[in-house]
Amino acid sequence: MAQSQGTEPERAAHNSATAFDEMLAELAERRQEFREQRYVSKDFVHRLKGLGLYRSATPERFGGQTMPPAEFLRKIERISAVDGSTGWVASFGSQLVYLGSLPLETQAKLYADGPDVVFAGALFPIQQATPTDRGFLISGRWKFASGCMAADIICVGIPGDDSTSGKPRGALVRPEDVQIVQDWDVVGMRGTGSFDVLADNVEVDREWTFIRGGEPVVDEPLYRYPAITYAAQSLSVVSAGVARAALDHAKEVGSGRGSITGAPKLADRAYYRAGIAEAEAVLRSARAYFYEAADEAWQTLVAGGLVSDEQNAHLRLSAAYLARTSSEVVHKVVSLSGTAAIYRDHPLQALLGDALVPQEHAFLSPAMYDAAGAVLMGRPPTVPAFR
C-alpha cells in the first residue's frame, strides 16, 4: 500500500499552492474578458475567496485566518503578474483592517454569514449627510469603488464631526442600496471596475460608520499594523507584479525572431541585454526594501511591540518607491523593445497602462517622500493620514 506523502500540514500547503496555481492559469485565460467588460467577474472573485484572500484580514474571533502582511502581498504580486486589475481587486482583501474600529456588535453582524467579506471603498469626494435619530441620511456620488461589482459591502465618505477630530467618516452600505454607474474608461487597470457609486437618501445607522485609520477595538497583531499603510502597500505591490510581467515578456521576446530590417535579435544586442539586466536589478532592489520593511514591522508586532513612527515611514517610503520604480521598469522595457511595442494590441501596451495607475494613487504619490523624510528626521509627517 502506498504511503501518504508528508504530514497533514504539508499536504494542506501543497493543495493550497496547487489551487493558487490553477487560479492563475484560469486568470491568464480570462484577463481579456475582465478588461473588455471593465470588471472582474463575481464568480472569479468567489474563487479568490476560496483561496482565503478575503479572510486574511478578518478578525480571528470572527473566523478570520490571519495572513502576515508580507505573505499576503506576495500573493497579490503573483496575481498581478498575470493581470494587474485582478491583483488590484484582490488587494482589497487587506482592507478589512479599516473596519476594526466598528463596534464589535456591528462586526459580528458583518461576518455573520462567514469571514469572507469583499470590501469596496469609494470614500471620496466626501458627500454631505443629514443626521437622523439612527445615524445619517446620505445622498451623493462617489468615485473609484474598485471591485464594487462583486462587493459584499461598500464604503462611502461622509463628513466627520467633533467626535472624529475632523476626519471623515466611512459609511457602510449594501450594494443593493446604491446604484453603480459603470463609467470606468481608462488606459490602465481597465478591469478593476472602479465605477462610481450613487446613493439617494439611504439611511445608515451610526454604528455602521467608522473613522478611516481609527483606533481598532480588535486586539490582534494585524489590527495593530498601520491600516492606511497596509492599504498603500497592497496597492503598490500590484505594480511590482506588472513590472515582473514586463521583464518576463522582455526575456522571452528577446530570444525570439530577428528584426524585420534584418538586424540581430534583441537578445543579441548589447544595449538590450544591459538595459533589461539593469531593470531587473532595480526592480529586485526595490522589492527587497519593500518586503524587508514589511517583515520587520510584522515581527515587531508578533513580539508584542508596536510599529514605530520610523518603521511606518519605511513602510510608506518603500511602498511609494516600489510603485514608482515598477512603472519606470515597464517604461524601460517598452523603450528597449523597438517598433513592435507601439501597436495597440501589443502586450506591453496593457502593462504600460497598468503600471501608470498605482503611482498616481494619493497613498503612493511623490508627497510620500517628503513625509517619510520628515519622520526619519524626527519631524511630524507633512501629509495627513500617513499612518
Side-chain angles (χ1 to χ4, degrees):
M1 179 182 297
Q3 295 184 351
S4 59
Q5 299 296 312
T7 64
E8 185 173 342
E10 288 172 338
R11 291 194 297 274
H14 173 76
N15 292 339
S16 176
T18 299
F20 198 88
D21 289 340
E22 290 173 348
M23 176 274 294
L24 294 179
E26 180 183 345
L27 177 57
E29 295 176 355
R30 298 186 65 185
R31 58 191 172 193
Q32 189 58 34
E33 167 197 339
F34 301 158
R35 290 171 186 169
E36 290 176 359
Q37 71 185 14
R38 297 177 296 157
Y39 63 89
V40 179
S41 296
K42 194 166 187 175
D43 71 290
F44 197 84
V45 174
H46 184 76
R47 183 163 189 174
L48 296 176
K49 280 187 177 183
L51 296 173
L53 293 175
Y54 289 102
R55 64 174 57 187
S56 64
T58 299
E60 293 181 358
R61 65 187 297 159
F62 298 119
Q65 296 176 344
T66 299
M67 198 178 290
E71 181 181 342
F72 177 82
L73 295 168
R74 285 188 172 92
K75 289 182 182 295
I76 298 304
E77 183 181 11
R78 288 189 63 198
I79 295 171
S80 302
V82 179
D83 180 48
S85 292
T86 304
W88 188 273
V89 171
S91 78
F92 278 72
S94 70
Q95 296 195 20
L96 290 177
V97 294
Y98 273 157
L99 309 185
S101 61
L102 288 170
L104 287 176
E105 296 81 3
T106 303
Q107 294 190 50
K109 294 176 183 176
L110 177 65
Y111 301 114
D113 294 331
D116 301 297
V117 172
V118 180
F119 170 81
L123 195 64
F124 296 103
I126 301 299
Q127 301 288 354
Q128 291 302 311
T130 304
T132 67
D133 291 339
R134 288 170 38 198
F136 304 93
L137 194 65
I138 64 172
S139 294
R141 184 166 176 161
W142 295 264
K143 302 195 72 65
F144 304 125
S146 299
C148 60
M149 295 294 286
D152 299 306
I153 198 79
I154 297 175
C155 168
V156 296
I158 60 176
D161 51 33
D162 292 342
S163 68
T164 70
S165 300
K167 296 179 181 178
R169 288 183 183 274
L172 298 181
V173 296
R174 296 291 180 181
E176 58 267 25
D177 294 330
V178 296
Q179 178 185 349
I180 294 173
V181 184
Q182 297 190 28
D183 60 343
W184 187 240
D185 186 14
V186 290
V187 297
M189 299 292 173
R190 284 184 55 83
T192 60
S194 301
F195 301 129
D196 286 10
V197 171
L198 186 64
D200 184 17
N201 289 325
V202 176
E203 188 166 18
V204 179
D205 292 350
R206 180 174 290 271
E207 58 266 28
W208 284 89
T209 68
F210 66 97
I211 306 170
R212 189 180 68 168
E215 192 68 27
V217 298
V218 175
D219 186 20
E220 296 177 11
L222 189 59
Y223 280 75
R224 294 192 291 272
Y225 198 93
I228 294 175
T229 296
Y230 195 16
Q233 290 177 292
S234 299
L235 299 177
S236 173
V237 80
V238 172
S239 63
V242 173
R244 169 49 51 203
L247 283 171
D248 288 349
H249 176 85
K251 286 181 279 189
E252 179 182 354
V253 171
S255 300
R257 63 177 177 79
S259 166
I260 60 173
T261 64
K265 295 178 181 179
L266 289 171
D268 292 332
R269 306 179 198 185
Y271 74 83
Y272 188 82
R273 295 194 300 266
I276 297 302
E278 180 182 13
E280 184 77 45
V282 167
L283 178 63
R284 286 176 179 260
S285 298
R287 288 181 70 257
Y289 177 31
F290 177 82
Y291 284 114
E292 177 189 86
D295 283 327
E296 180 183 310
W298 181 246
Q299 290 307 315
T300 296
L301 292 173
V302 170
L306 296 175
V307 175
S308 69
D309 289 342
E310 182 172 338
Q311 286 177 317
N312 184 68
H314 282 296
L315 293 171
R316 295 302 300 266
L317 177 59
S318 63
Y321 181 68
L322 179 62
R324 199 151 300 276
T325 299
S326 297
S327 181
E328 291 170 353
V329 164
V330 178
H331 279 76
K332 178 82 169 180
V333 172
V334 172
S335 71
L336 293 169
S337 296
T339 55
I342 70 174
Y343 289 92
R344 189 183 297 273
D345 61 352
H346 193 279
L348 284 177
Q349 285 300 320
L351 296 176
L352 191 63
D354 286 351
L356 170 69
V357 176
Q359 66 172 348
E360 302 301 330
H361 196 282
F363 286 173
L364 302 169
S365 75
M368 295 305 116
Y369 288 85
D370 180 43
V375 173
L376 295 176
M377 295 178 193
R379 289 167 169 75
T382 54
V383 299
F386 189 66
R387 185 181 175 89

